[in-house]
Amino acid sequence: ASIVMPAPSLRCMVTALRSFLRFAYVTGRVPAPLVTAVPSLKAWPRTALPSAIPTADARRLVDSCDTSTARGRRDAAVLLVLVRLGLRASEVARLDLEDFDWRRGEVIINAKGGRGDVMPLPVEVGEAVADYLCAGRPNAPSRSAFLTAVAPIRRLSGDGVALVVRRACQRAGVAPIGPHRLRHTLATETLRAGAPM
């Protein structure tokens, strides 16, 4: 009969066995390093997928931006790119002016692995980005689409994108989340709408 052990007990047993085999080899009790015969177990820090936030909360984040200010225009555009395109914070930070094809209504995403994915640019997102570029983006030589709001003016980093989300949560009265939760929210909505995995 097989014995079913809870994962923490199994992990402890494997760790102890590997330690013992390592000790036995180092002290000369066994002639070969037998530790390689016992595979290590991966420790998964998070076993559940991040949960989606309600669509109304995502909308409240965007609506919390004061679009009468340059920073508010930028933040609204960044949030809409996250909410409607489901990009990672790093992908938003890497967007350059040349990545937007306004005539075709497309945006090129510099994704993981150095590949460029072409995505449709929803009208609402395009309008918010254009509003920021025309009436909010600082006049700077950088070709980055999204820039910091205060000096020194430079490309908005992935951490800067996360800060935009955190500040929007504070303004909107939404429990603090990170940009990846917005990505997961879009994926969840898309699957509920019947899109294939």
Side-chain angles (χ1 to χ4, degrees):
S2 61
I3 300 172
V4 178
M5 301 178 78
S9 297
L10 179 61
R11 188 171 292 117
C12 290
M13 183 179 287
V14 168
T15 302
L17 180 58
R18 287 176 58 85
S19 294
F20 172 74
L21 292 174
R22 210 176 281 114
F23 168 78
Y25 175 67
V26 169
T27 58
R29 288 179 166 80
V30 294
L34 298 176
V35 69
T36 57
V38 180
S40 62
L41 295 178
K42 295 281 186 199
W44 300 101
R46 182 176 60 195
T47 56
L49 290 173
S51 59
I53 66 169
T55 307
D57 284 354
R59 186 76 240 172
R60 284 170 50 203
L61 296 180
V62 176
D63 291 343
S64 75
C65 300
D66 179 2
T67 54
S68 67
T69 68
R71 182 186 298 234
R73 287 186 185 99
R74 183 204 62 192
D75 291 357
V78 166
L79 287 164
L80 277 169
V81 167
L82 291 166
V83 168
R84 296 291 310 279
L85 296 180
L87 301 187
R88 297 175 179 88
S90 60
E91 292 168 341
V92 175
R94 282 195 302 263
L95 285 172
D96 288 329
L97 298 174
E98 294 78 19
D99 293 333
F100 293 91
D101 187 335
W102 300 104
R103 290 188 189 275
R104 291 184 177 193
E106 297 175 340
V107 60
I108 298 171
I109 309 304
N110 296 304
K112 283 184 174 178
R115 67 175 201 278
D117 295 327
V118 178
M119 295 184 70
L121 186 62
V123 173
E124 181 185 22
V125 178
E127 287 175 349
V129 172
D131 185 42
Y132 166 67
L133 295 178
C134 294
R137 185 179 182 274
N139 188 9
S142 173
R143 300 305 295 166
S144 176
F146 299 110
L147 301 175
T148 56
V150 295
I153 302 300
R154 60 187 182 280
R155 177 183 295 271
L156 188 65
S157 66
D159 288 341
V161 171
L163 184 58
V164 166
V165 175
R166 280 198 306 274
R167 286 180 175 160
C169 289
Q170 290 171 348
R171 288 192 306 269
V174 172
I177 61 166
H180 203 74
R181 286 281 295 278
L182 297 177
R183 178 179 172 83
H184 186 75
T185 298
L186 177 67
T188 301
E189 288 175 12
T190 304
L191 288 172
R192 284 183 185 149
M197 186 66 105

